[in-house]
Structure formats: C-alpha cells, structure tokens
Amino acid sequence: MALTTAWGVRGAFNHNWDPYWSSALFCSYSSVRYDGGANDNLRGAGTTTAKGAYCAAFAASHPGQALVGNATGAYTCNPDFNVAQLGMVTRWTPVKNLTFAAEVQWFHLDQKMSGSSVFTATAPKPNALYEFKDQGTFLLQLRAQRNF
C-alpha cells in the first residue's frame, strides 16, 4: 500500500550572450499526496491511511478539526501540498575569476488545509490563531564572487 505519492519536475535554460554575460531561467514544480481522505480520522477510518494518521497526530495538539465546511476557529485537515518555483539569474564576468550576479526567484506553496487553528509558535511569533492559506514569496539576491 502506498502511503504517499510524490513527484516533481525541474528545468533550466542557460544562455551565454558573450564571454562576459550569461543568463539562466529555471523553474520547478513538485507535489505530495497522502493516501486516504481528508476526514479519515473523523469518519471512523482512524489511522489506517496516511491522511488519517497525520490528521490524528495533528489534531492531538490542535483541537478544532472539523469536517469540510468549517467555521472560524476550526480547520479541515488535508496535508497534501504543491510547491512551485520560478527564477532568473544574470551574471557578468568583467575579468577572469570575478563574477557579479543578480538573481530573482518566486516561490509558491499551494497547501490543502483550510480554516484556522491556534499554534504555539516559536519566537518571535506569538501564540495566536493562524489561518491556513497558500503562501508565496519573492527573493532578490545580489552576489559578487571572486575565485582564487
């Protein structure tokens, strides 16, 4: 019996404009799926499925799990998720062994939990009611590299 299914794909393209300049475009996408239904631990399937075991363990420290169609302060448990990334980097090498680079990336977490739950967060985050939702972020990185 498969408890989880995971797959991913990555790709990149690099172009050397001339001996001094190069650029690359890269991306990735991955997915993780747990066996079973999101409400297995509430509907009598218990911990016989991966989702049931995960959600039972999560519910032990986060009360308020509800069936689909939850209310504020409650959540539905589905640990499935997808992760996407897209980025580009441009490099300039004015002299041998010295490179300056500028890179921009976008990350996105597509998670399947819904609702909200109280979390005992670590510093500096306070204990609070946190909402489950998709998350995304951008990264800008500037780098100077000298090789000896």
Side-chain angles (χ1 to χ4, degrees):
M1 173 197 261
L3 294 179
T4 60
T5 303
W7 62 270
V9 62
R10 287 179 256 188
F13 174 76
N14 189 69
H15 181 74
N16 294 313
W17 299 98
D18 61 33
Y20 306 103
W21 290 91
S22 69
S23 296
L25 179 66
F26 53 92
C27 61
S28 68
Y29 186 86
S30 58
S31 178
V32 175
R33 297 288 178 264
Y34 290 78
D35 176 52
N39 296 315
D40 282 358
N41 64 317
L42 297 179
R43 292 199 169 147
T47 59
T48 59
T49 65
K51 279 184 187 169
Y54 181 98
C55 292
F58 188 81
S61 61
H62 296 86
Q65 183 182 355
L67 296 173
V68 174
N70 63 53
T72 301
Y75 64 92
T76 57
C77 184
N78 183 351
D80 296 345
F81 66 93
N82 305 312
V83 177
Q85 174 188 2
L86 177 64
M88 181 178 178
V89 60
T90 298
R91 295 173 291 270
W92 175 47
T93 308
V95 295
K96 185 178 178 181
N97 296 325
L98 175 63
T99 302
F100 297 96
E103 182 174 330
V104 63
Q105 291 183 37
W106 167 74
F107 298 92
H108 182 71
L109 170 64
D110 172 22
Q111 60 87 38
K112 306 304 179 190
M113 303 272 274
S114 65
S116 55
S117 180
V118 174
F119 278 80
T120 304
T122 58
K125 290 274 198 181
N127 294 350
L129 183 66
Y130 288 91
E131 181 183 359
F132 294 108
K133 59 184 179 178
D134 295 345
Q135 299 177 45
T137 189
F138 288 93
L139 163 80
L140 172 63
Q141 178 173 281
L142 303 174
R143 183 177 74 191
Q145 178 175 325
R146 177 78 168 130
N147 297 328
F148 297 96

